[in-house]
Amino acid sequence: MEFPAKTFRVTRADLVRYAGASGDFNPIHWSDRFATKVGLPGVIAHGMFTMALVGRAITEWAGSPDAVVEYGVRFTRPVVVPDDDQGTEIEVSARVREVTEDGLTRLDVTATCLGEKVLSQARATIRTTR
């Protein structure tokens, strides 16, 4: 079984808001000049912001935040966010890997940006009432 894909738009304004909320003002998240100087293709989204968006999708599929039992990822590719009004999009999908005897559903999660996977080993365990 697969869950319906969810798409999240990410703009530079989102990165500014996240930096304020998280306290992570690293210039790779707001300065093209700095980001390219350190070898990145441009300003990138905070990894934890990307993970939070994926977590939002998992929470929606599960039906409530307390239904998410476990969630983990590895970051594999940065999400580059252009300096325009459109930003970029992260698409999140998941498929059921296993339903346990105690009613837990284990998911394999995929997050992509511009067709490239941005997370690996993205997995979640949820309690569902489906």
Side-chain angles (χ1 to χ4, degrees):
M1 173 183 159
E2 293 198 14
F3 287 85
K6 299 208 178 273
T7 302
F8 300 95
R9 181 163 301 284
V10 179
T11 65
R12 292 276 179 102
D14 295 320
L15 301 186
V16 170
R17 285 189 285 274
Y18 186 81
S22 69
D24 182 352
F25 294 100
N26 187 321
I28 65 173
H29 302 304
W30 56 267
S31 169
D32 278 309
R33 184 174 42 83
F34 187 87
T36 56
K37 186 176 179 181
V38 299
L40 294 167
V43 165
I44 64 170
H46 303 75
M48 295 304 289
F49 180 57
T50 302
M51 188 176 179
L53 293 174
V54 175
R56 183 187 301 171
I58 293 166
T59 298
E60 290 175 15
W61 293 322
S64 70
D66 65 344
V68 179
V69 176
E70 186 174 21
Y71 168 47
V73 305
R74 291 207 179 185
F75 303 106
T76 56
R77 184 179 309 276
V79 173
V80 179
V81 182
D83 189 12
D84 60 22
D85 293 335
Q86 303 305 311
T88 193
E89 291 183 337
I90 297 171
E91 184 171 296
V92 185
S93 59
R95 68 174 185 75
V96 173
R97 179 169 31 113
E98 172 187 23
V99 177
T100 67
E101 289 181 17
D102 54 351
L104 298 177
T105 302
R106 294 200 170 103
L107 305 177
D108 288 327
V109 181
T110 302
T112 61
C113 180
L114 301 175
E116 299 280 342
K117 279 188 175 185
V118 295
L119 302 175
S120 69
Q121 299 181 26
R123 297 187 180 106
T125 303
I126 60 175
R127 256 186 249 96
T128 58
T129 57
R130 295 177 187 228

Coordinates of all heavy atoms in Angstrom, one line a residue, residues 42-111:
G42 N 24.3 26.7 -4.0 CA 23.5 27.9 -3.6 C 23.0 27.7 -2.2 O 23.3 26.8 -1.5
V43 N 22.1 28.6 -1.8 CA 21.5 28.5 -0.5 C 20.7 27.2 -0.4 O 20.0 26.8 -1.3 CB 20.5 29.7 -0.3 CG1 19.6 29.5 0.9 CG2 21.3 31.0 -0.1
I44 N 20.9 26.6 0.8 CA 20.2 25.3 1.0 C 19.3 25.4 2.2 O 19.5 26.2 3.2 CB 21.2 24.1 1.2 CG1 22.0 24.3 2.4 CG2 22.0 23.9 -0.1 CD1 22.9 23.1 2.8
A45 N 18.2 24.6 2.2 CA 17.3 24.5 3.3 C 18.0 23.8 4.5 O 18.9 23.0 4.3 CB 16.0 23.7 2.9
H46 N 17.6 24.2 5.7 CA 18.0 23.5 6.9 C 17.6 22.0 6.8 O 16.5 21.7 6.5 CB 17.4 24.1 8.1 CG 17.6 25.6 8.3 ND1 16.9 26.5 7.5 CD2 18.4 26.3 9.2 CE1 17.3 27.7 7.9 NE2 18.2 27.6 8.9
G47 N 18.5 21.1 7.1 CA 18.2 19.7 7.1 C 17.0 19.4 8.1 O 16.1 18.6 7.7
M48 N 17.0 20.0 9.2 CA 16.0 19.7 10.2 C 14.6 20.3 9.7 O 13.6 19.8 10.0 CB 16.3 20.3 11.6 CG 17.5 19.6 12.2 SD 17.3 17.8 12.3 CE 16.1 17.7 13.6
F49 N 14.7 21.4 8.9 CA 13.4 21.9 8.3 C 12.9 20.9 7.3 O 11.7 20.6 7.3 CB 13.7 23.2 7.7 CG 12.5 23.9 7.0 CD1 11.3 24.1 7.8 CD2 12.5 24.2 5.7 CE1 10.2 24.7 7.2 CE2 11.3 24.8 5.1 CZ 10.2 25.0 5.9
T50 N 13.8 20.3 6.5 CA 13.4 19.3 5.5 C 12.8 18.1 6.3 O 11.7 17.6 5.9 CB 14.6 18.9 4.7 OG1 15.1 20.0 4.0 CG2 14.2 17.8 3.7
M51 N 13.4 17.7 7.3 CA 13.0 16.6 8.1 C 11.6 16.9 8.7 O 10.7 16.0 8.8 CB 14.0 16.2 9.2 CG 13.6 14.9 9.9 SD 15.0 14.5 11.1 CE 14.3 13.1 11.8
A52 N 11.4 18.1 9.2 CA 10.1 18.5 9.8 C 9.0 18.5 8.7 O 7.9 18.0 9.1 CB 10.2 19.9 10.4
L53 N 9.3 18.9 7.5 CA 8.2 18.8 6.5 C 7.8 17.4 6.2 O 6.7 17.0 6.0 CB 8.7 19.5 5.2 CG 8.9 21.0 5.3 CD1 9.5 21.5 4.0 CD2 7.6 21.7 5.6
V54 N 8.8 16.5 6.1 CA 8.5 15.1 5.9 C 7.8 14.5 7.1 O 6.8 13.8 7.0 CB 9.8 14.3 5.7 CG1 9.6 12.8 5.6 CG2 10.5 14.8 4.4
G55 N 8.1 15.0 8.3 CA 7.4 14.6 9.5 C 5.9 15.0 9.5 O 5.1 14.3 10.0
R56 N 5.7 16.2 8.9 CA 4.3 16.7 8.8 C 3.5 15.8 7.9 O 2.4 15.4 8.2 CB 4.3 18.1 8.2 CG 2.9 18.7 8.1 CD 2.8 20.0 7.3 NE 3.7 21.0 8.0 CZ 3.9 22.2 7.4 NH1 3.4 22.5 6.2 NH2 4.6 23.1 8.0
A57 N 4.1 15.3 6.8 CA 3.4 14.3 5.9 C 3.1 13.1 6.7 O 2.0 12.5 6.6 CB 4.3 14.0 4.7
I58 N 4.1 12.6 7.4 CA 3.9 11.3 8.2 C 2.8 11.5 9.2 O 1.9 10.6 9.3 CB 5.2 10.9 8.8 CG1 6.2 10.5 7.7 CG2 5.0 9.7 9.8 CD1 7.6 10.3 8.2
T59 N 2.8 12.6 9.9 CA 1.7 12.9 10.8 C 0.3 13.0 10.2 O -0.6 12.4 10.7 CB 2.0 14.3 11.6 OG1 3.3 14.1 12.2 CG2 1.0 14.6 12.5
E60 N 0.2 13.6 9.0 CA -1.0 13.6 8.3 C -1.5 12.2 7.9 O -2.7 11.9 8.1 CB -0.9 14.5 7.1 CG -0.8 16.0 7.5 CD -0.6 16.9 6.3 OE1 -0.8 16.5 5.1 OE2 -0.2 18.1 6.5
W61 N -0.6 11.4 7.4 CA -0.9 10.0 7.1 C -1.4 9.3 8.3 O -2.3 8.4 8.2 CB 0.2 9.3 6.4 CG 0.6 9.8 5.0 CD1 -0.3 10.3 4.1 CD2 1.9 10.0 4.5 NE1 0.5 10.7 3.0 CE2 1.8 10.5 3.2 CE3 3.2 9.7 5.0 CZ2 2.9 10.7 2.4 CZ3 4.3 9.9 4.2 CH2 4.1 10.4 2.9
A62 N -0.7 9.5 9.4 CA -1.0 8.7 10.6 C -2.3 9.2 11.3 O -3.0 8.4 12.0 CB 0.1 8.9 11.7
G63 N -2.7 10.4 11.0 CA -3.9 11.0 11.6 C -3.8 11.9 12.8 O -4.7 12.6 13.1
S64 N -2.7 11.8 13.5 CA -2.4 12.7 14.6 C -0.9 12.6 15.0 O -0.3 11.5 14.8 CB -3.3 12.4 15.8 OG -2.9 11.2 16.4
P65 N -0.4 13.6 15.6 CA 1.0 13.6 16.0 C 1.4 12.5 17.0 O 2.5 11.9 16.9 CB 1.3 14.9 16.7 CG 0.2 15.8 16.2 CD -1.0 14.9 15.9
D66 N 0.5 12.1 17.9 CA 0.8 11.1 18.8 C 0.7 9.7 18.2 O 1.0 8.7 18.9 CB -0.1 11.2 20.1 CG -1.6 10.9 19.8 OD1 -2.0 11.0 18.6 OD2 -2.3 10.7 20.8
A67 N 0.3 9.6 17.0 CA 0.3 8.3 16.3 C 1.7 7.9 15.7 O 1.9 6.8 15.2 CB -0.8 8.2 15.3
V68 N 2.6 8.9 15.7 CA 3.9 8.7 15.1 C 4.8 8.1 16.3 O 5.1 8.8 17.2 CB 4.6 9.9 14.5 CG1 6.0 9.6 14.0 CG2 3.7 10.5 13.4
V69 N 5.1 6.8 16.1 CA 5.8 6.1 17.2 C 7.3 6.3 17.0 O 8.1 6.5 18.0 CB 5.5 4.6 17.2 CG1 6.3 3.8 18.2 CG2 4.0 4.4 17.4
E70 N 7.8 6.3 15.8 CA 9.3 6.4 15.5 C 9.4 7.0 14.2 O 8.6 6.8 13.2 CB 9.9 5.0 15.6 CG 11.4 5.0 15.5 CD 12.0 3.6 15.7 OE1 11.2 2.6 15.5 OE2 13.2 3.5 16.0
Y71 N 10.5 7.8 14.0 CA 10.8 8.5 12.7 C 12.3 8.8 12.7 O 12.8 9.4 13.6 CB 9.9 9.7 12.6 CG 10.3 10.7 11.5 CD1 10.5 10.2 10.2 CD2 10.4 12.0 11.7 CE1 10.8 11.1 9.2 CE2 10.7 12.9 10.7 CZ 10.9 12.4 9.4 OH 11.2 13.3 8.4
G72 N 12.9 8.5 11.6 CA 14.3 8.8 11.4 C 14.7 8.8 10.0 O 14.1 8.2 9.1
V73 N 15.8 9.6 9.7 CA 16.3 9.8 8.3 C 17.8 10.0 8.4 O 18.4 10.2 9.4 CB 15.6 11.1 7.6 CG1 14.1 11.0 7.7 CG2 16.2 12.3 8.2
R74 N 18.4 9.9 7.2 CA 19.7 10.4 6.9 C 19.7 11.4 5.8 O 18.9 11.2 4.8 CB 20.6 9.2 6.5 CG 20.8 8.2 7.7 CD 22.1 7.5 7.6 NE 22.2 6.7 8.7 CZ 23.2 5.9 9.0 NH1 24.3 6.0 8.2 NH2 23.3 5.2 10.1
F75 N 20.4 12.4 6.0 CA 20.4 13.5 4.9 C 21.4 13.1 3.9 O 22.6 12.8 4.2 CB 20.8 14.8 5.6 CG 19.9 15.2 6.7 CD1 20.3 15.1 8.0 CD2 18.6 15.7 6.4 CE1 19.5 15.5 9.0 CE2 17.8 16.0 7.5 CZ 18.2 15.9 8.8
T76 N 21.0 13.1 2.6 CA 21.9 12.7 1.5 C 22.2 13.7 0.5 O 23.2 13.7 -0.2 CB 21.3 11.5 0.8 OG1 20.0 11.8 0.3 CG2 21.2 10.2 1.7
R77 N 21.3 14.7 0.3 CA 21.5 15.7 -0.7 C 20.8 17.0 -0.2 O 19.7 17.0 0.3 CB 20.8 15.2 -2.0 CG 21.0 16.2 -3.2 CD 20.3 15.6 -4.5 NE 20.7 14.2 -4.8 CZ 21.8 13.8 -5.4 NH1 22.7 14.7 -5.8 NH2 22.0 12.6 -5.7
P78 N 21.5 18.1 -0.4 CA 20.8 19.4 0.1 C 19.7 19.8 -0.8 O 19.6 19.5 -2.0 CB 22.0 20.4 0.0 CG 22.9 19.8 -1.0 CD 22.8 18.3 -1.0
V79 N 18.7 20.5 -0.2 CA 17.6 21.1 -0.9 C 18.0 22.5 -1.2 O 18.0 23.4 -0.3 CB 16.3 21.0 0.0 CG1 15.2 21.8 -0.7 CG2 15.9 19.6 0.2
V80 N 18.3 22.8 -2.5 CA 18.7 24.1 -2.9 C 17.4 25.0 -3.1 O 16.5 24.5 -3.8 CB 19.5 24.1 -4.2 CG1 19.9 25.4 -4.7 CG2 20.8 23.2 -4.0
V81 N 17.4 26.2 -2.5 CA 16.3 27.0 -2.6 C 16.7 28.3 -3.3 O 17.4 29.1 -2.8 CB 15.8 27.4 -1.2 CG1 14.5 28.2 -1.2 CG2 15.5 26.1 -0.4
P82 N 16.1 28.5 -4.6 CA 16.5 29.6 -5.4 C 15.9 30.9 -4.8 O 14.9 30.9 -4.0 CB 15.8 29.4 -6.7 CG 14.8 28.3 -6.5 CD 15.2 27.6 -5.3
D83 N 16.5 32.0 -5.1 CA 16.1 33.4 -4.6 C 15.1 33.9 -5.6 O 15.3 34.9 -6.3 CB 17.3 34.3 -4.5 CG 17.0 35.6 -3.8 OD1 15.9 35.7 -3.2 OD2 17.9 36.5 -3.9
D84 N 13.9 33.4 -5.5 CA 12.8 33.9 -6.3 C 11.5 33.6 -5.5 O 11.5 33.1 -4.4 CB 12.7 33.2 -7.7 CG 12.6 31.7 -7.7 OD1 12.1 31.2 -6.6 OD2 12.9 31.0 -8.7
D85 N 10.4 34.0 -6.1 CA 9.1 33.8 -5.4 C 8.6 32.4 -5.4 O 7.7 32.0 -4.6 CB 8.0 34.7 -6.0 CG 8.3 36.2 -5.8 OD1 9.0 36.5 -4.8 OD2 7.8 37.0 -6.6
Q86 N 9.1 31.6 -6.3 CA 8.6 30.2 -6.4 C 9.3 29.2 -5.5 O 8.7 28.2 -5.1 CB 8.9 29.7 -7.9 CG 8.2 30.6 -8.9 CD 6.7 30.8 -8.7 OE1 6.0 29.8 -8.4 NE2 6.3 32.0 -8.7
G87 N 10.6 29.5 -5.2 CA 11.3 28.5 -4.3 C 11.5 27.2 -5.0 O 11.7 27.1 -6.2
T88 N 11.3 26.1 -4.2 CA 11.4 24.8 -4.8 C 10.4 23.9 -4.1 O 9.7 24.4 -3.2 CB 12.8 24.2 -4.5 OG1 13.0 23.0 -5.3 CG2 13.1 23.9 -3.1
E89 N 10.3 22.7 -4.5 CA 9.3 21.8 -3.8 C 10.0 20.5 -3.4 O 10.9 20.0 -4.0 CB 8.2 21.4 -4.8 CG 7.3 22.6 -5.2 CD 6.1 22.2 -6.1 OE1 6.3 21.2 -6.8 OE2 5.1 22.9 -6.1
I90 N 9.5 20.0 -2.2 CA 9.9 18.7 -1.7 C 8.6 17.8 -1.8 O 7.6 18.2 -1.3 CB 10.3 18.8 -0.3 CG1 11.6 19.7 -0.2 CG2 10.6 17.4 0.3 CD1 12.0 20.0 1.2
E91 N 8.8 16.7 -2.5 CA 7.7 15.8 -2.6 C 8.0 14.6 -1.7 O 9.1 14.0 -1.7 CB 7.5 15.3 -4.1 CG 6.3 14.4 -4.2 CD 5.9 14.0 -5.6 OE1 5.5 15.0 -6.3 OE2 6.0 12.8 -5.9
V92 N 7.0 14.2 -0.9 CA 7.1 13.1 0.1 C 6.1 12.0 -0.3 O 4.9 12.3 -0.5 CB 6.9 13.7 1.5 CG1 7.1 12.6 2.5 CG2 7.7 14.9 1.8
S93 N 6.6 10.8 -0.3 CA 5.7 9.7 -0.5 C 6.1 8.6 0.5 O 7.2 8.6 1.0 CB 5.8 9.2 -2.0 OG 7.1 8.8 -2.3
A94 N 5.3 7.6 0.6 CA 5.6 6.5 1.5 C 4.8 5.2 1.1 O 3.8 5.3 0.5 CB 5.2 6.8 3.0
R95 N 5.4 4.1 1.4 CA 4.8 2.8 1.2 C 4.9 2.0 2.4 O 5.9 2.1 3.2 CB 5.3 2.1 0.0 CG 6.8 1.6 0.1 CD 7.2 0.8 -1.1 NE 8.5 0.2 -0.9 CZ 8.8 -0.8 -0.1 NH1 7.8 -1.4 0.6 NH2 10.0 -1.2 0.1
V96 N 3.9 1.2 2.6 CA 3.9 0.3 3.8 C 5.0 -0.8 3.6 O 4.9 -1.5 2.6 CB 2.5 -0.3 4.1 CG1 2.6 -1.3 5.2 CG2 1.5 0.8 4.4
R97 N 5.9 -0.9 4.6 CA 6.9 -2.0 4.5 C 6.3 -3.2 5.3 O 6.6 -4.3 4.9 CB 8.2 -1.5 5.1 CG 9.2 -2.6 5.2 CD 10.6 -2.1 5.5 NE 10.7 -1.0 6.4 CZ 11.2 -1.1 7.6 NH1 11.6 -2.2 8.1 NH2 11.2 0.0 8.4
E98 N 5.6 -2.9 6.4 CA 5.2 -4.0 7.3 C 4.1 -3.5 8.2 O 4.1 -2.4 8.6 CB 6.4 -4.5 8.1 CG 6.1 -5.5 9.1 CD 7.3 -5.8 10.0 OE1 8.2 -5.0 10.1 OE2 7.2 -6.9 10.7
V99 N 3.1 -4.4 8.5 CA 2.2 -4.2 9.5 C 2.4 -5.2 10.6 O 2.4 -6.4 10.3 CB 0.7 -4.2 9.0 CG1 -0.3 -4.1 10.2 CG2 0.5 -3.2 7.9
T100 N 2.7 -4.8 11.8 CA 3.1 -5.7 12.8 C 1.9 -6.3 13.5 O 0.8 -5.8 13.4 CB 4.0 -5.0 13.9 OG1 3.2 -4.1 14.6 CG2 5.2 -4.4 13.3
E101 N 2.1 -7.4 14.3 CA 1.0 -8.0 15.0 C 0.4 -7.1 16.0 O -0.8 -7.3 16.3 CB 1.5 -9.3 15.6 CG 1.8 -10.4 14.7 CD 2.3 -11.7 15.3 OE1 2.1 -11.9 16.6 OE2 2.9 -12.5 14.6
D102 N 1.2 -6.2 16.6 CA 0.6 -5.3 17.6 C 0.0 -4.0 17.0 O -0.2 -3.0 17.7 CB 1.7 -5.0 18.6 CG 3.0 -4.4 18.1 OD1 3.1 -4.4 16.8 OD2 3.8 -4.0 18.9
G103 N -0.2 -4.0 15.7 CA -1.0 -2.9 15.1 C -0.2 -1.7 14.6 O -0.7 -0.7 14.3
L104 N 1.1 -1.9 14.6 CA 2.0 -0.8 14.1 C 2.2 -0.9 12.6 O 2.4 -2.1 12.1 CB 3.3 -0.7 14.9 CG 3.2 -0.5 16.4 CD1 4.6 -0.5 17.0 CD2 2.5 0.9 16.6
T105 N 2.3 0.2 11.9 CA 2.6 0.2 10.5 C 4.0 0.8 10.3 O 4.2 1.9 10.7 CB 1.6 1.0 9.7 OG1 0.3 0.4 10.0 CG2 1.8 0.9 8.2
R106 N 4.9 0.0 9.6 CA 6.2 0.6 9.3 C 6.2 1.1 7.9 O 5.8 0.4 7.0 CB 7.3 -0.5 9.5 CG 7.4 -0.9 11.0 CD 8.7 -1.6 11.4 NE 8.8 -1.7 12.8 CZ 8.6 -2.8 13.5 NH1 8.3 -3.9 12.8 NH2 8.7 -2.8 14.8
L107 N 6.7 2.3 7.7 CA 6.7 2.9 6.4 C 8.2 3.1 5.9 O 9.1 3.5 6.7 CB 6.1 4.3 6.5 CG 4.7 4.4 7.1 CD1 4.3 5.9 7.1 CD2 3.7 3.6 6.2
D108 N 8.3 3.0 4.6 CA 9.5 3.4 3.9 C 9.1 4.7 3.3 O 8.2 4.8 2.5 CB 10.0 2.4 2.9 CG 10.6 1.2 3.5 OD1 11.2 1.3 4.6 OD2 10.4 0.1 2.9
V109 N 9.8 5.8 3.6 CA 9.5 7.2 3.1 C 10.5 7.6 2.1 O 11.7 7.4 2.2 CB 9.4 8.1 4.3 CG1 9.0 9.5 3.9 CG2 8.5 7.6 5.4
T110 N 10.0 8.3 1.1 CA 10.9 8.9 0.1 C 10.6 10.4 0.0 O 9.4 10.8 0.0 CB 10.6 8.3 -1.3 OG1 10.8 6.9 -1.2 CG2 11.5 8.9 -2.4
A111 N 11.7 11.2 0.0 CA 11.6 12.7 -0.1 C 12.5 13.1 -1.3 O 13.6 12.7 -1.3 CB 12.0 13.4 1.2

